[in-house]
Amino acid sequence: MMISRREVLRQIKILGIPYLALPLVTMVKEYYSTPQQTRGPFYPLKFPLDGDNDLTWVKDHQKSALGEKIMIVGQVLTLNDQPIKDAKIEIWQACSSGHYNHEYDPNQAPIDPHFQGWGWTTTDQKGYYAFKTIKLGGYPVTNNWKRPPHIHFKISQPDEKEFITQLYFAEEQELNQQDKILQRIPENLQSLVITKLIKNESLNMRVGQFNIRV
Ligand SMILES: [Fe+2]
C-alpha cells in the first residue's frame, strides 16, 4: 500500500515535524553531515516486486507484517539546511525476527513472508519523506556480537555520490553501546543517527524522526 505524497504531507502536518523536537538530536550543533555507515552485506540482490514506502504490507498479500508498526519521517537537507527535493531514498532492514530477505543471511530465525524488507520513495518539494515499517529485532553476527535493530538508508540524487547510512533506536541503548558499526561514529555525533520513537495518538503508532543532512 503506497503512502501518497498528500498522505505524507497530511501526516507531517499532524506530526508538526518542526516541533517534534528530539532532545538527542538537538544536543548536537547543526551543520554536521549525517555520519555515513557501511552498506552492509544485505542490500537486495533481487528487488521485490512491491517496493513502495509501506514495508508492512506486500502487494496482493492477505496479511500485514509481524511486529510493531512504526513510521520514520524526516527531511533530506543540504549542509546549509536547504531541503533537497526529488531525492530517492531506499531503506532495507531485517524482519521482526531479525532475518533479512536475502540469500546470504545466515540467520536461522524464521523469516516473515509478509514483510517487504526493502522499499523506496522520493522527497517532496520541501525535502520530506516518510516510510511505514516495523520495529525490527536485532540479530547475531558472531557468538558475542549482536547487532542492534537498525534500518539501512541510501539516498541517491542525479550526479551525486550515493549517501549510505544506518538509523538506530534510542531505546536500544545497551546493544547500541556494544555495536562495532555504530561505535565507528565519534560519540558526540552518534545521536545524529539515533531516533527516539514517540507515540503519535492520531496515527496510533510510534513515530521516529530522521533528518538526513548529506
Ligand atoms: Fe544490517
Side-chain angles (χ1 to χ4, degrees):
M1 210 178 295
M2 183 77 176
I3 308 170
S4 70
R5 276 170 195 235
R6 187 181 297 165
E7 178 68 2
V8 170
L9 286 174
R10 194 181 69 83
Q11 285 167 353
I12 284 163
K13 251 194 204 145
I14 293 168
L15 296 168
I17 280 183
Y19 308 105
L20 188 76
L22 300 181
L24 281 171
V25 171
T26 49
M27 269 166 55
V28 178
K29 276 253 176 270
E30 294 189 10
Y31 311 118
Y32 282 111
S33 157
T34 302
Q36 297 206 51
Q37 291 250 273
T38 170
R39 127 192 331 238
F42 302 129
Y43 183 75
L45 294 173
K46 293 184 221 112
F47 295 97
L49 291 176
D50 186 8
D52 69 5
N53 62 345
D54 180 357
L55 280 65
T56 70
W57 195 273
V58 180
K59 193 169 175 274
D60 298 333
H61 283 216
Q62 304 304 317
K63 268 171 97 170
S64 65
L66 296 171
E68 179 195 354
K69 293 176 178 65
I70 59 170
M71 282 197 62
I72 304 294
V73 298
Q75 250 179 321
V76 178
L77 301 159
T78 66
L79 285 181
N80 297 323
D81 275 345
Q82 297 305 305
I84 299 176
K85 63 173 183 171
D86 299 328
K88 180 180 179 185
I89 308 186
E90 294 166 70
I91 66 168
W92 64 102
Q93 66 169 79
C95 72
S96 66
S97 70
H99 193 145
Y100 283 85
N101 185 10
H102 192 288
E103 54 198 273
Y104 298 153
D105 187 355
N107 190 346
Q108 296 298 309
I111 191 159
D112 177 3
H114 302 298
F115 180 60
Q116 195 174 289
W118 169 88
W120 70 278
T121 188
T122 52
T123 53
D124 70 9
Q125 288 295 315
K126 291 189 171 161
Y128 285 110
Y129 73 88
F131 285 98
K132 187 174 174 187
T133 185
I134 54 128
K135 173 76 198 303
L136 65 163
Y139 58 85
V141 182
T142 60
N143 285 342
N144 53 10
W145 177 23
K146 187 176 175 191
R147 287 230 61 203
H150 60 277
I151 303 176
H152 296 262
F153 275 73
K154 179 163 106 173
I155 292 95
S156 322
Q157 298 175 73
D159 306 323
E160 296 279 346
K161 212 168 150 242
E162 286 174 345
F163 187 98
I164 296 176
T165 192
Q166 300 184 25
L167 176 67
Y168 301 82
F169 298 93
E171 64 204 31
E172 304 286 350
Q173 203 183 359
E174 203 179 313
L175 285 173
N176 287 347
Q177 277 171 353
Q178 296 164 15
D179 184 50
K180 292 175 191 167
I181 294 176
L182 173 57
Q183 295 308 324
R184 289 176 193 163
I185 298 174
E187 209 181 332
N188 64 324
L189 299 181
Q190 288 177 11
S191 61
L192 294 173
V193 292
I194 299 175
T195 190
K196 188 172 177 186
L197 294 171
I198 296 172
K199 178 78 192 242
N200 182 278
E201 296 300 337
S202 40
L203 293 171
N204 195 26
M205 234 186 299
R206 292 199 297 164
V207 178
Q209 187 182 12
F210 184 36
N211 289 342
I212 305 163
R213 205 171 273 117
V214 302

